[in-house]
Amino acid sequence: MAASSSSRILPKLTIAVSATGGTIFACHHFESQRRILDAKSDDDDCTASSTAGALSSLQKSGVAIVNNLRLTPTILNEVKHMPAADSMPTQMLKPKKQQQQRRRGPPGSNMIPQDEPWRLSAYGRYHRLENHLGEVDIQLLEQIEQQIFPLVEGFFQQDDGDRSDESVSATSTLSNTNKKTTLDGIYRSELQLMTAVPGSTNQSWHKDNRSRGLSIIIPLVDFTAENGGTQLLLGSHINTWPLTNGGARVIHAPAGSIVAYDSRTIHRGLGNETSVGRPALIFCYDRIETPPPGCGTLGSVGTSYQGRLIDILTGVRNAIISPE
């Protein structure tokens, strides 16, 4: 009797295990794809040759690569050699032992103490925030900020459909007190230099802010799928699942490019599979009334799983519609 029961259960168990394994493999396959978003392609809706075109792309897909604002080779070289860049990690750093010092954040999220100039956000991803930048560094980066300011100004003057921006009065002048380019009601929420060293791993899917804001990434080396360029879910800045927007795309852009995205866009940095680092500058702008991130731990976890699900579903959809 027992042998007969076992003979009936075993085939079903085998099928269940095989189906589970096949599902896991398929999900991993679709999630690991690195379809590029090429800055050099004129056929891509996210590539813009003007600020007006970039603003249109930001409204539609949540992402824009703005070719007319690209940094000159001279400025790019100055950034690469500014004082803060001299200590940029080129490989995984060993965490220093700190006795009688409390670590902030969840276990493993900050393996390096908060008072260190380079903060670890994920394995192999190092960030040097504004409070660890010197005066010379900030002066140079604020020159770049003036160059990208028309894009920031235009973005916050747009009506995002949820509210009118009539209350946001723009001025393209520099404040005499802090020398920061300002918009009334808008502030620079983040300014940093970061790098992903060889062997770094993928970030979790996330949003920079639940509310509308603008994030700008400037690659200091060419961004490719291999060195872990930023991966974004096009169209995920609006409250619909972006299954019709091509799914996850990896920024493929030359050094000095201006890559802008709505801070509500679900995205992540990919792992660096090359032998050299992938540094970049990051500027973020938000409304004073809606500072980032706009959600707690549960919201962040939910966004991470939402990003994975959308990535997998759009991968399946693309495989069906356009099989390679």
Side-chain angles (χ1 to χ4, degrees), residues 10 40 57 72 78 93 100 130 154 187 195 245-246 248 254 256 264 267 293 308 312 323:
L10 187 58
K40 298 180 180 179
S57 179
T72 64
E78 289 181 14
L93 298 178
Q100 298 179 345
E130 184 170 359
Y187 76 110
T195 187
N245 286 286
R264 298 170 296 181
H267 66 284
R308 292 189 65 185
I312 292 169

Side-chain angles (χ1 to χ4, degrees), residues 34-36 223-229 250-252 270-273:
R34 298 191 174 192
R35 299 176 62 238
I36 68 171
F223 264 28
T224 67
E226 291 73 28
N227 68 9
V250 183
I251 297 298
H252 203 272
L270 294 178
N272 185 350
E273 299 175 351

Side-chain angles (χ1 to χ4, degrees), residues 95-112:
K96 296 180 180 179
K97 294 182 179 180
Q98 297 286 325
Q99 295 181 350
Q100 298 179 345
Q101 179 173 342
R102 295 181 62 185
R103 303 288 179 87
R104 289 179 286 181
S109 64
N110 292 302
M111 296 171 61
I112 293 180

